[in-house]
Amino acid sequence: MQMDDISSLSRKTLRADTEERLKAAAKFVYDGKFVRHSDTVALLQSVIKPYDIVNIEGDNQKQADFLAKCLCKVDPKVINNLHMVQSVISLPEHIKVFEKGIAKKLDFSFSGTQAGAIAELIASGTAELGAIHTYLELYGRYFVDLTPRVALVAGVQADSQGNIYTGFSTEDTPSIVEAAKFKQGIVIFQVNEITDRIPRVDIPSDWVDFIIQSPKPFYIEPLFTRDPALITDAQVLRGMMAIKGIYAEYNVKRLNHGIGFDTAAIELMLPTYGEELGLKGKICTHFVLNPHPTLIPAIESGWVKSVHCFGGELGMEDYVAAHSDIFFNGPDGTLRSNRAFSQVAGHYATDMFIGGTLQIDKWGNSSTATAARVSGFGGAPNMGCNANGRRHSSEAWLKCGAEAAGKSEAIGALSRGKKLVVQLAETFREKLAPGFVEELDAVKLAKNAGLPIEPVMIYGDDLTHIVTEEGIAYLHKCRDMEERMAAVRGVAGYTEIGMSADPAETRRLRELGIIRTREDLGISIEKANRSLLAAKNMRDLVEWSHGLYHPPVRYKTW
């Protein structure tokens, strides 16, 4: 048999299997593609088989929550040993599907609130872990060896023809649907509403097999919302050092901000401290990030030219719709977010990633994992690494590359730049947990959970800067590992790592510009307080937005 014959047989077999599943489910369908929500469990039992690769859309924010609940209700004798592939594990149902024996294997990217539960599932043998991926890595595998046989996804609306409008928070939907459907997979949508017309077609009807109007709208988590009232003076200080010692130093225009109060403080200081330094138009013009509410004052002050979003942010719908010159809005006027495209942009098209972390070890490796929590890291490793495939230049990229040890990262005399990868860290966190440690908890976690590699978020050789209340360590300038470790110690404060620093060595590194303190940067501690925030609470953000920002109920205190 020739190879072409084998390929043809494989395709026919896959298609025939799909047709069998669709035929078994036909009795639940009306008007072509629609299924009553009361028939959802029976539908799932008709189209899913044991050992299938199944994706429940679990994003950073948007959740196919109704379909997740229904999957937990199927008979484990009928459906079992599923291999779940999804970017985020965030709902209790994402755990229950393993506890009930419906699923057995898991490949994911981030877990957040379910991190402890996943660790327990793995330790008990209830779940088998394939790998903890970055978002791009997992999406890539959807098109290689982790292609969903059945995809359970969420949309805002469906029209009478079966076209889908994913709305303000599209996120992972296109990646999941395209991978499944074009490999003969089955795509099931839960939607909030079925209507005659939809604002735009995000997923065409011939990519969709079944549509269910869920009993209530799908859940959205306002993951990137930070209340300015909770920003501390210490976070303001770190933000000032980052703006003056990194943003201004390298003229960083294209960047990604991670989640956290530190980056929220930076966003809120652009119209104040940034303006004072004369940096408008020189830094922070093009962002890849969700529509952070704390970015509103900078947008209103004319700092920001463009924002491409991974997903939406609850309450920002009207504000984003009113700023189509900034955000990527469709002809219908609403945002079209796309997590995969934003990840690609963050990896290759930005000059800097800056975000927080929980732990940094003596070599500069960092992680958000703890000994008992398999939390994952989402897209941070894609944002926070030097993309060696990059072939275009920029001022910030070239300068950082020129400062790197040896003045060139390329073999021979070739020129090469370097991406700025910055970690903002508290020397001591809540409950006095040290931010700098001899060994990352990720090492112990790997042993406890039987992981083949430690879940490190940012590897030390990618990290260029650490910012703490003690100062900035410019790690990319270090000439060897000993100097690099000394730089880490020099900004680690009164942690065990920091206490082992040699004062003479730290002074020498300051003279070389490898460490810079607030005094070196000319930053007054008296000025480092909340008065520099352009908005000091959620109400201020609403006023900056001219009433277009509608904070989620949990944040509205007036």
mmCIF file with all atom_site columns, all heavy atoms in Angstrom, residues 224-228 231 260 263-269 291-298 316 535 538 541 549:
data_model
loop_
_atom_site.group_PDB
_atom_site.id
_atom_site.type_symbol
_atom_site.label_atom_id
_atom_site.label_alt_id
_atom_site.label_comp_id
_atom_site.label_asym_id
_atom_site.label_entity_id
_atom_site.label_seq_id
_atom_site.pdbx_PDB_ins_code
_atom_site.Cartn_x
_atom_site.Cartn_y
_atom_site.Cartn_z
_atom_site.occupancy
_atom_site.B_iso_or_equiv
_atom_site.pdbx_formal_charge
_atom_site.auth_seq_id
_atom_site.auth_comp_id
_atom_site.auth_asym_id
_atom_site.auth_atom_id
_atom_site.pdbx_PDB_model_num
ATOM 1   N N   . PHE A 1 224 ? -7.842  40.858 35.243 1.00 0.00 ? 224 PHE A N   1
ATOM 2   C CA  . PHE A 1 224 ? -6.815  41.890 35.166 1.00 0.00 ? 224 PHE A CA  1
ATOM 3   C C   . PHE A 1 224 ? -7.220  43.196 35.859 1.00 0.00 ? 224 PHE A C   1
ATOM 4   O O   . PHE A 1 224 ? -6.523  44.205 35.751 1.00 0.00 ? 224 PHE A O   1
ATOM 5   C CB  . PHE A 1 224 ? -6.464  42.176 33.700 1.00 0.00 ? 224 PHE A CB  1
ATOM 6   C CG  . PHE A 1 224 ? -5.789  41.012 33.027 1.00 0.00 ? 224 PHE A CG  1
ATOM 7   C CD1 . PHE A 1 224 ? -6.532  39.994 32.461 1.00 0.00 ? 224 PHE A CD1 1
ATOM 8   C CD2 . PHE A 1 224 ? -4.405  40.925 32.973 1.00 0.00 ? 224 PHE A CD2 1
ATOM 9   C CE1 . PHE A 1 224 ? -5.920  38.906 31.852 1.00 0.00 ? 224 PHE A CE1 1
ATOM 10  C CE2 . PHE A 1 224 ? -3.787  39.850 32.365 1.00 0.00 ? 224 PHE A CE2 1
ATOM 11  C CZ  . PHE A 1 224 ? -4.549  38.829 31.806 1.00 0.00 ? 224 PHE A CZ  1
ATOM 12  N N   . THR A 1 225 ? -8.337  43.187 36.553 1.00 0.00 ? 225 THR A N   1
ATOM 13  C CA  . THR A 1 225 ? -8.793  44.383 37.260 1.00 0.00 ? 225 THR A CA  1
ATOM 14  C C   . THR A 1 225 ? -8.070  44.517 38.599 1.00 0.00 ? 225 THR A C   1
ATOM 15  O O   . THR A 1 225 ? -8.045  43.568 39.390 1.00 0.00 ? 225 THR A O   1
ATOM 16  C CB  . THR A 1 225 ? -10.319 44.325 37.484 1.00 0.00 ? 225 THR A CB  1
ATOM 17  O OG1 . THR A 1 225 ? -10.978 44.307 36.221 1.00 0.00 ? 225 THR A OG1 1
ATOM 18  C CG2 . THR A 1 225 ? -10.795 45.522 38.295 1.00 0.00 ? 225 THR A CG2 1
ATOM 19  N N   . ARG A 1 226 ? -7.500  45.680 38.833 1.00 0.00 ? 226 ARG A N   1
ATOM 20  C CA  . ARG A 1 226 ? -6.832  45.976 40.105 1.00 0.00 ? 226 ARG A CA  1
ATOM 21  C C   . ARG A 1 226 ? -7.365  47.304 40.643 1.00 0.00 ? 226 ARG A C   1
ATOM 22  O O   . ARG A 1 226 ? -7.382  48.312 39.940 1.00 0.00 ? 226 ARG A O   1
ATOM 23  C CB  . ARG A 1 226 ? -5.308  46.070 39.917 1.00 0.00 ? 226 ARG A CB  1
ATOM 24  C CG  . ARG A 1 226 ? -4.627  44.748 39.561 1.00 0.00 ? 226 ARG A CG  1
ATOM 25  C CD  . ARG A 1 226 ? -4.730  43.750 40.698 1.00 0.00 ? 226 ARG A CD  1
ATOM 26  N NE  . ARG A 1 226 ? -4.091  42.466 40.398 1.00 0.00 ? 226 ARG A NE  1
ATOM 27  C CZ  . ARG A 1 226 ? -4.686  41.442 39.804 1.00 0.00 ? 226 ARG A CZ  1
ATOM 28  N NH1 . ARG A 1 226 ? -5.949  41.556 39.402 1.00 0.00 ? 226 ARG A NH1 1
ATOM 29  N NH2 . ARG A 1 226 ? -4.040  40.310 39.582 1.00 0.00 ? 226 ARG A NH2 1
ATOM 30  N N   . ASP A 1 227 ? -7.791  47.286 41.906 1.00 0.00 ? 227 ASP A N   1
ATOM 31  C CA  . ASP A 1 227 ? -8.320  48.488 42.559 1.00 0.00 ? 227 ASP A CA  1
ATOM 32  C C   . ASP A 1 227 ? -7.148  49.385 42.954 1.00 0.00 ? 227 ASP A C   1
ATOM 33  O O   . ASP A 1 227 ? -6.297  48.980 43.764 1.00 0.00 ? 227 ASP A O   1
ATOM 34  C CB  . ASP A 1 227 ? -9.122  48.087 43.790 1.00 0.00 ? 227 ASP A CB  1
ATOM 35  C CG  . ASP A 1 227 ? -9.827  49.248 44.458 1.00 0.00 ? 227 ASP A CG  1
ATOM 36  O OD1 . ASP A 1 227 ? -9.520  50.413 44.116 1.00 0.00 ? 227 ASP A OD1 1
ATOM 37  O OD2 . ASP A 1 227 ? -10.678 49.002 45.332 1.00 0.00 ? 227 ASP A OD2 1
ATOM 38  N N   . PRO A 1 228 ? -7.071  50.600 42.414 1.00 0.00 ? 228 PRO A N   1
ATOM 39  C CA  . PRO A 1 228 ? -5.970  51.501 42.770 1.00 0.00 ? 228 PRO A CA  1
ATOM 40  C C   . PRO A 1 228 ? -5.866  51.771 44.274 1.00 0.00 ? 228 PRO A C   1
ATOM 41  O O   . PRO A 1 228 ? -4.776  52.083 44.771 1.00 0.00 ? 228 PRO A O   1
ATOM 42  C CB  . PRO A 1 228 ? -6.309  52.795 42.011 1.00 0.00 ? 228 PRO A CB  1
ATOM 43  C CG  . PRO A 1 228 ? -7.161  52.355 40.873 1.00 0.00 ? 228 PRO A CG  1
ATOM 44  C CD  . PRO A 1 228 ? -7.958  51.200 41.403 1.00 0.00 ? 228 PRO A CD  1
ATOM 45  N N   . ILE A 1 231 ? -3.103  49.759 45.993 1.00 0.00 ? 231 ILE A N   1
ATOM 46  C CA  . ILE A 1 231 ? -1.697  49.928 45.617 1.00 0.00 ? 231 ILE A CA  1
ATOM 47  C C   . ILE A 1 231 ? -0.942  50.578 46.772 1.00 0.00 ? 231 ILE A C   1
ATOM 48  O O   . ILE A 1 231 ? -1.390  51.572 47.346 1.00 0.00 ? 231 ILE A O   1
ATOM 49  C CB  . ILE A 1 231 ? -1.566  50.772 44.338 1.00 0.00 ? 231 ILE A CB  1
ATOM 50  C CG1 . ILE A 1 231 ? -2.174  50.009 43.150 1.00 0.00 ? 231 ILE A CG1 1
ATOM 51  C CG2 . ILE A 1 231 ? -0.108  51.131 44.044 1.00 0.00 ? 231 ILE A CG2 1
ATOM 52  C CD1 . ILE A 1 231 ? -2.237  50.816 41.867 1.00 0.00 ? 231 ILE A CD1 1
ATOM 53  N N   . GLY A 1 260 ? -0.932  42.310 37.967 1.00 0.00 ? 260 GLY A N   1
ATOM 54  C CA  . GLY A 1 260 ? -0.436  42.651 39.295 1.00 0.00 ? 260 GLY A CA  1
ATOM 55  C C   . GLY A 1 260 ? -0.547  44.116 39.638 1.00 0.00 ? 260 GLY A C   1
ATOM 56  O O   . GLY A 1 260 ? -0.775  44.970 38.777 1.00 0.00 ? 260 GLY A O   1
ATOM 57  N N   . THR A 1 263 ? 2.500   46.518 38.125 1.00 0.00 ? 263 THR A N   1
ATOM 58  C CA  . THR A 1 263 ? 2.311   47.060 36.777 1.00 0.00 ? 263 THR A CA  1
ATOM 59  C C   . THR A 1 263 ? 1.122   48.017 36.730 1.00 0.00 ? 263 THR A C   1
ATOM 60  O O   . THR A 1 263 ? 1.121   48.985 35.963 1.00 0.00 ? 263 THR A O   1
ATOM 61  C CB  . THR A 1 263 ? 2.126   45.932 35.757 1.00 0.00 ? 263 THR A CB  1
ATOM 62  O OG1 . THR A 1 263 ? 1.201   44.960 36.267 1.00 0.00 ? 263 THR A OG1 1
ATOM 63  C CG2 . THR A 1 263 ? 3.453   45.244 35.464 1.00 0.00 ? 263 THR A CG2 1
ATOM 64  N N   . ALA A 1 264 ? 0.097   47.768 37.565 1.00 0.00 ? 264 ALA A N   1
ATOM 65  C CA  . ALA A 1 264 ? -1.019  48.716 37.659 1.00 0.00 ? 264 ALA A CA  1
ATOM 66  C C   . ALA A 1 264 ? -0.516  50.071 38.144 1.00 0.00 ? 264 ALA A C   1
ATOM 67  O O   . ALA A 1 264 ? -0.940  51.132 37.643 1.00 0.00 ? 264 ALA A O   1
ATOM 68  C CB  . ALA A 1 264 ? -2.095  48.172 38.600 1.00 0.00 ? 264 ALA A CB  1
ATOM 69  N N   . ALA A 1 265 ? 0.406   50.060 39.114 1.00 0.00 ? 265 ALA A N   1
ATOM 70  C CA  . ALA A 1 265 ? 0.982   51.319 39.604 1.00 0.00 ? 265 ALA A CA  1
ATOM 71  C C   . ALA A 1 265 ? 1.727   52.048 38.490 1.00 0.00 ? 265 ALA A C   1
ATOM 72  O O   . ALA A 1 265 ? 1.616   53.280 38.349 1.00 0.00 ? 265 ALA A O   1
ATOM 73  C CB  . ALA A 1 265 ? 1.924   51.032 40.773 1.00 0.00 ? 265 ALA A CB  1
ATOM 74  N N   . ILE A 1 266 ? 2.490   51.312 37.696 1.00 0.00 ? 266 ILE A N   1
ATOM 75  C CA  . ILE A 1 266 ? 3.217   51.929 36.584 1.00 0.00 ? 266 ILE A CA  1
ATOM 76  C C   . ILE A 1 266 ? 2.247   52.584 35.609 1.00 0.00 ? 266 ILE A C   1
ATOM 77  O O   . ILE A 1 266 ? 2.452   53.729 35.171 1.00 0.00 ? 266 ILE A O   1
ATOM 78  C CB  . ILE A 1 266 ? 4.088   50.880 35.869 1.00 0.00 ? 266 ILE A CB  1
ATOM 79  C CG1 . ILE A 1 266 ? 5.236   50.445 36.780 1.00 0.00 ? 266 ILE A CG1 1
ATOM 80  C CG2 . ILE A 1 266 ? 4.646   51.429 34.549 1.00 0.00 ? 266 ILE A CG2 1
ATOM 81  C CD1 . ILE A 1 266 ? 6.013   49.247 36.273 1.00 0.00 ? 266 ILE A CD1 1
ATOM 82  N N   . GLU A 1 267 ? 1.178   51.880 35.260 1.00 0.00 ? 267 GLU A N   1
ATOM 83  C CA  . GLU A 1 267 ? 0.186   52.432 34.330 1.00 0.00 ? 267 GLU A CA  1
ATOM 84  C C   . GLU A 1 267 ? -0.406  53.729 34.871 1.00 0.00 ? 267 GLU A C   1
ATOM 85  O O   . GLU A 1 267 ? -0.598  54.699 34.124 1.00 0.00 ? 267 GLU A O   1
ATOM 86  C CB  . GLU A 1 267 ? -0.914  51.393 34.081 1.00 0.00 ? 267 GLU A CB  1
ATOM 87  C CG  . GLU A 1 267 ? -0.426  50.195 33.275 1.00 0.00 ? 267 GLU A CG  1
ATOM 88  C CD  . GLU A 1 267 ? -1.279  48.951 33.403 1.00 0.00 ? 267 GLU A CD  1
ATOM 89  O OE1 . GLU A 1 267 ? -2.397  49.045 33.971 1.00 0.00 ? 267 GLU A OE1 1
ATOM 90  O OE2 . GLU A 1 267 ? -0.835  47.879 32.942 1.00 0.00 ? 267 GLU A OE2 1
ATOM 91  N N   . LEU A 1 268 ? -0.668  53.746 36.180 1.00 0.00 ? 268 LEU A N   1
ATOM 92  C CA  . LEU A 1 268 ? -1.289  54.928 36.783 1.00 0.00 ? 268 LEU A CA  1
ATOM 93  C C   . LEU A 1 268 ? -0.308  56.069 37.003 1.00 0.00 ? 268 LEU A C   1
ATOM 94  O O   . LEU A 1 268 ? -0.716  57.201 37.279 1.00 0.00 ? 268 LEU A O   1
ATOM 95  C CB  . LEU A 1 268 ? -1.943  54.546 38.110 1.00 0.00 ? 268 LEU A CB  1
ATOM 96  C CG  . LEU A 1 268 ? -3.198  53.670 37.996 1.00 0.00 ? 268 LEU A CG  1
ATOM 97  C CD1 . LEU A 1 268 ? -3.631  53.170 39.363 1.00 0.00 ? 268 LEU A CD1 1
ATOM 98  C CD2 . LEU A 1 268 ? -4.335  54.454 37.327 1.00 0.00 ? 268 LEU A CD2 1
ATOM 99  N N   . MET A 1 269 ? 0.988   55.805 36.892 1.00 0.00 ? 269 MET A N   1
ATOM 100 C CA  . MET A 1 269 ? 1.977   56.875 37.057 1.00 0.00 ? 269 MET A CA  1
ATOM 101 C C   . MET A 1 269 ? 2.457   57.465 35.741 1.00 0.00 ? 269 MET A C   1
ATOM 102 O O   . MET A 1 269 ? 3.206   58.449 35.741 1.00 0.00 ? 269 MET A O   1
ATOM 103 C CB  . MET A 1 269 ? 3.178   56.354 37.854 1.00 0.00 ? 269 MET A CB  1
ATOM 104 C CG  . MET A 1 269 ? 2.893   56.190 39.332 1.00 0.00 ? 269 MET A CG  1
ATOM 105 S SD  . MET A 1 269 ? 4.413   55.936 40.297 1.00 0.00 ? 269 MET A SD  1
ATOM 106 C CE  . MET A 1 269 ? 4.853   54.289 39.780 1.00 0.00 ? 269 MET A CE  1
ATOM 107 N N   . PRO A 1 291 ? -7.584  44.856 28.220 1.00 0.00 ? 291 PRO A N   1
ATOM 108 C CA  . PRO A 1 291 ? -7.933  46.254 28.490 1.00 0.00 ? 291 PRO A CA  1
ATOM 109 C C   . PRO A 1 291 ? -7.975  46.548 29.992 1.00 0.00 ? 291 PRO A C   1
ATOM 110 O O   . PRO A 1 291 ? -9.030  46.559 30.614 1.00 0.00 ? 291 PRO A O   1
ATOM 111 C CB  . PRO A 1 291 ? -9.316  46.414 27.831 1.00 0.00 ? 291 PRO A CB  1
ATOM 112 C CG  . PRO A 1 291 ? -9.867  45.037 27.741 1.00 0.00 ? 291 PRO A CG  1
ATOM 113 C CD  . PRO A 1 291 ? -8.698  44.113 27.597 1.00 0.00 ? 291 PRO A CD  1
ATOM 114 N N   . HIS A 1 292 ? -6.784  46.753 30.566 1.00 0.00 ? 292 HIS A N   1
ATOM 115 C CA  . HIS A 1 292 ? -6.683  47.029 32.004 1.00 0.00 ? 292 HIS A CA  1
ATOM 116 C C   . HIS A 1 292 ? -7.403  48.333 32.339 1.00 0.00 ? 292 HIS A C   1
ATOM 117 O O   . HIS A 1 292 ? -7.114  49.372 31.730 1.00 0.00 ? 292 HIS A O   1
ATOM 118 C CB  . HIS A 1 292 ? -5.215  47.194 32.403 1.00 0.00 ? 292 HIS A CB  1
ATOM 119 C CG  . HIS A 1 292 ? -4.404  45.952 32.298 1.00 0.00 ? 292 HIS A CG  1
ATOM 120 N ND1 . HIS A 1 292 ? -3.097  45.883 32.743 1.00 0.00 ? 292 HIS A ND1 1
ATOM 121 C CD2 . HIS A 1 292 ? -4.685  44.720 31.806 1.00 0.00 ? 292 HIS A CD2 1
ATOM 122 C CE1 . HIS A 1 292 ? -2.623  44.675 32.522 1.00 0.00 ? 292 HIS A CE1 1
ATOM 123 N NE2 . HIS A 1 292 ? -3.567  43.953 31.953 1.00 0.00 ? 292 HIS A NE2 1
ATOM 124 N N   . PRO A 1 293 ? -8.286  48.343 33.316 1.00 0.00 ? 293 PRO A N   1
ATOM 125 C CA  . PRO A 1 293 ? -8.900  49.606 33.741 1.00 0.00 ? 293 PRO A CA  1
ATOM 126 C C   . PRO A 1 293 ? -7.864  50.643 34.183 1.00 0.00 ? 293 PRO A C   1
ATOM 127 O O   . PRO A 1 293 ? -8.066  51.842 33.983 1.00 0.00 ? 293 PRO A O   1
ATOM 128 C CB  . PRO A 1 293 ? -9.807  49.178 34.905 1.00 0.00 ? 293 PRO A CB  1
ATOM 129 C CG  . PRO A 1 293 ? -10.127 47.749 34.619 1.00 0.00 ? 293 PRO A CG  1
ATOM 130 C CD  . PRO A 1 293 ? -8.892  47.187 34.007 1.00 0.00 ? 293 PRO A CD  1
ATOM 131 N N   . THR A 1 294 ? -6.744  50.186 34.777 1.00 0.00 ? 294 THR A N   1
ATOM 132 C CA  . THR A 1 294 ? -5.726  51.138 35.242 1.00 0.00 ? 294 THR A CA  1
ATOM 133 C C   . THR A 1 294 ? -4.948  51.777 34.096 1.00 0.00 ? 294 THR A C   1
ATOM 134 O O   . THR A 1 294 ? -4.142  52.676 34.327 1.00 0.00 ? 294 THR A O   1
ATOM 135 C CB  . THR A 1 294 ? -4.747  50.448 36.214 1.00 0.00 ? 294 THR A CB  1
ATOM 136 O OG1 . THR A 1 294 ? -4.350  49.174 35.682 1.00 0.00 ? 294 THR A OG1 1
ATOM 137 C CG2 . THR A 1 294 ? -5.394  50.239 37.571 1.00 0.00 ? 294 THR A CG2 1
ATOM 138 N N   . LEU A 1 295 ? -5.213  51.357 32.866 1.00 0.00 ? 295 LEU A N   1
ATOM 139 C CA  . LEU A 1 295 ? -4.588  52.004 31.713 1.00 0.00 ? 295 LEU A CA  1
ATOM 140 C C   . LEU A 1 295 ? -5.416  53.191 31.216 1.00 0.00 ? 295 LEU A C   1
ATOM 141 O O   . LEU A 1 295 ? -4.953  53.985 30.392 1.00 0.00 ? 295 LEU A O   1
ATOM 142 C CB  . LEU A 1 295 ? -4.407  50.985 30.579 1.00 0.00 ? 295 LEU A CB  1
ATOM 143 C CG  . LEU A 1 295 ? -3.380  51.297 29.483 1.00 0.00 ? 295 LEU A CG  1
ATOM 144 C CD1 . LEU A 1 295 ? -1.976  51.450 30.063 1.00 0.00 ? 295 LEU A CD1 1
ATOM 145 C CD2 . LEU A 1 295 ? -3.393  50.208 28.415 1.00 0.00 ? 295 LEU A CD2 1
ATOM 146 N N   . ILE A 1 296 ? -6.640  53.344 31.739 1.00 0.00 ? 296 ILE A N   1
ATOM 147 C CA  . ILE A 1 296 ? -7.542  54.395 31.262 1.00 0.00 ? 296 ILE A CA  1
ATOM 148 C C   . ILE A 1 296 ? -6.924  55.796 31.359 1.00 0.00 ? 296 ILE A C   1
ATOM 149 O O   . ILE A 1 296 ? -6.950  56.553 30.380 1.00 0.00 ? 296 ILE A O   1
ATOM 150 C CB  . ILE A 1 296 ? -8.896  54.341 32.016 1.00 0.00 ? 296 ILE A CB  1
ATOM 151 C CG1 . ILE A 1 296 ? -9.667  53.083 31.610 1.00 0.00 ? 296 ILE A CG1 1
ATOM 152 C CG2 . ILE A 1 296 ? -9.734  55.587 31.735 1.00 0.00 ? 296 ILE A CG2 1
ATOM 153 C CD1 . ILE A 1 296 ? -10.927 52.833 32.435 1.00 0.00 ? 296 ILE A CD1 1
ATOM 154 N N   . PRO A 1 297 ? -6.336  56.203 32.508 1.00 0.00 ? 297 PRO A N   1
ATOM 155 C CA  . PRO A 1 297 ? -5.769  57.561 32.562 1.00 0.00 ? 297 PRO A CA  1
ATOM 156 C C   . PRO A 1 297 ? -4.675  57.793 31.520 1.00 0.00 ? 297 PRO A C   1
ATOM 157 O O   . PRO A 1 297 ? -4.578  58.892 30.947 1.00 0.00 ? 297 PRO A O   1
ATOM 158 C CB  . PRO A 1 297 ? -5.216  57.643 33.989 1.00 0.00 ? 297 PRO A CB  1
ATOM 159 C CG  . PRO A 1 297 ? -6.069  56.714 34.783 1.00 0.00 ? 297 PRO A CG  1
ATOM 160 C CD  . PRO A 1 297 ? -6.315  55.559 33.855 1.00 0.00 ? 297 PRO A CD  1
ATOM 161 N N   . ALA A 1 298 ? -3.847  56.787 31.250 1.00 0.00 ? 298 ALA A N   1
ATOM 162 C CA  . ALA A 1 298 ? -2.792  56.941 30.237 1.00 0.00 ? 298 ALA A CA  1
ATOM 163 C C   . ALA A 1 298 ? -3.388  57.079 28.843 1.00 0.00 ? 298 ALA A C   1
ATOM 164 O O   . ALA A 1 298 ? -2.899  57.865 28.021 1.00 0.00 ? 298 ALA A O   1
ATOM 165 C CB  . ALA A 1 298 ? -1.832  55.756 30.300 1.00 0.00 ? 298 ALA A CB  1
ATOM 166 N N   . MET A 1 316 ? -15.245 46.799 30.866 1.00 0.00 ? 316 MET A N   1
ATOM 167 C CA  . MET A 1 316 ? -14.536 47.699 29.939 1.00 0.00 ? 316 MET A CA  1
ATOM 168 C C   . MET A 1 316 ? -15.157 47.718 28.540 1.00 0.00 ? 316 MET A C   1
ATOM 169 O O   . MET A 1 316 ? -14.635 48.367 27.633 1.00 0.00 ? 316 MET A O   1
ATOM 170 C CB  . MET A 1 316 ? -13.068 47.282 29.838 1.00 0.00 ? 316 MET A CB  1
ATOM 171 C CG  . MET A 1 316 ? -12.231 47.666 31.035 1.00 0.00 ? 316 MET A CG  1
ATOM 172 S SD  . MET A 1 316 ? -11.904 49.443 31.128 1.00 0.00 ? 316 MET A SD  1
ATOM 173 C CE  . MET A 1 316 ? -10.630 49.632 29.865 1.00 0.00 ? 316 MET A CE  1
ATOM 174 N N   . ALA A 1 535 ? -5.146  57.826 39.365 1.00 0.00 ? 535 ALA A N   1
ATOM 175 C CA  . ALA A 1 535 ? -6.437  57.432 39.935 1.00 0.00 ? 535 ALA A CA  1
ATOM 176 C C   . ALA A 1 535 ? -6.148  56.680 41.222 1.00 0.00 ? 535 ALA A C   1
ATOM 177 O O   . ALA A 1 535 ? -5.325  55.774 41.240 1.00 0.00 ? 535 ALA A O   1
ATOM 178 C CB  . ALA A 1 535 ? -7.217  56.556 38.967 1.00 0.00 ? 535 ALA A CB  1
ATOM 179 N N   . MET A 1 538 ? -11.397 53.093 42.442 1.00 0.00 ? 538 MET A N   1
ATOM 180 C CA  . MET A 1 538 ? -12.185 52.692 41.277 1.00 0.00 ? 538 MET A CA  1
ATOM 181 C C   . MET A 1 538 ? -13.074 53.835 40.773 1.00 0.00 ? 538 MET A C   1
ATOM 182 O O   . MET A 1 538 ? -13.288 53.984 39.571 1.00 0.00 ? 538 MET A O   1
ATOM 183 C CB  . MET A 1 538 ? -13.039 51.470 41.623 1.00 0.00 ? 538 MET A CB  1
ATOM 184 C CG  . MET A 1 538 ? -12.240 50.236 42.010 1.00 0.00 ? 538 MET A CG  1
ATOM 185 S SD  . MET A 1 538 ? -11.142 49.653 40.693 1.00 0.00 ? 538 MET A SD  1
ATOM 186 C CE  . MET A 1 538 ? -12.293 48.750 39.669 1.00 0.00 ? 538 MET A CE  1
ATOM 187 N N   . LEU A 1 541 ? -11.285 55.955 38.390 1.00 0.00 ? 541 LEU A N   1
ATOM 188 C CA  . LEU A 1 541 ? -11.179 55.352 37.057 1.00 0.00 ? 541 LEU A CA  1
ATOM 189 C C   . LEU A 1 541 ? -12.454 55.579 36.254 1.00 0.00 ? 541 LEU A C   1
ATOM 190 O O   . LEU A 1 541 ? -12.399 55.836 35.043 1.00 0.00 ? 541 LEU A O   1
ATOM 191 C CB  . LEU A 1 541 ? -10.891 53.848 37.174 1.00 0.00 ? 541 LEU A CB  1
ATOM 192 C CG  . LEU A 1 541 ? -9.507  53.454 37.694 1.00 0.00 ? 541 LEU A CG  1
ATOM 193 C CD1 . LEU A 1 541 ? -9.410  51.937 37.818 1.00 0.00 ? 541 LEU A CD1 1
ATOM 194 C CD2 . LEU A 1 541 ? -8.406  53.977 36.781 1.00 0.00 ? 541 LEU A CD2 1
ATOM 195 N N   . TYR A 1 549 ? -16.543 53.233 31.878 1.00 0.00 ? 549 TYR A N   1
ATOM 196 C CA  . TYR A 1 549 ? -16.082 52.038 32.586 1.00 0.00 ? 549 TYR A CA  1
ATOM 197 C C   . TYR A 1 549 ? -17.084 51.684 33.668 1.00 0.00 ? 549 TYR A C   1
ATOM 198 O O   . TYR A 1 549 ? -17.490 52.529 34.464 1.00 0.00 ? 549 TYR A O   1
ATOM 199 C CB  . TYR A 1 549 ? -14.701 52.272 33.197 1.00 0.00 ? 549 TYR A CB  1
ATOM 200 C CG  . TYR A 1 549 ? -14.224 51.141 34.096 1.00 0.00 ? 549 TYR A CG  1
ATOM 201 C CD1 . TYR A 1 549 ? -14.315 49.816 33.690 1.00 0.00 ? 549 TYR A CD1 1
ATOM 202 C CD2 . TYR A 1 549 ? -13.687 51.395 35.363 1.00 0.00 ? 549 TYR A CD2 1
ATOM 203 C CE1 . TYR A 1 549 ? -13.887 48.771 34.513 1.00 0.00 ? 549 TYR A CE1 1
ATOM 204 C CE2 . TYR A 1 549 ? -13.246 50.366 36.180 1.00 0.00 ? 549 TYR A CE2 1
ATOM 205 C CZ  . TYR A 1 549 ? -13.359 49.055 35.756 1.00 0.00 ? 549 TYR A CZ  1
ATOM 206 O OH  . TYR A 1 549 ? -12.943 48.030 36.564 1.00 0.00 ? 549 TYR A OH  1
#
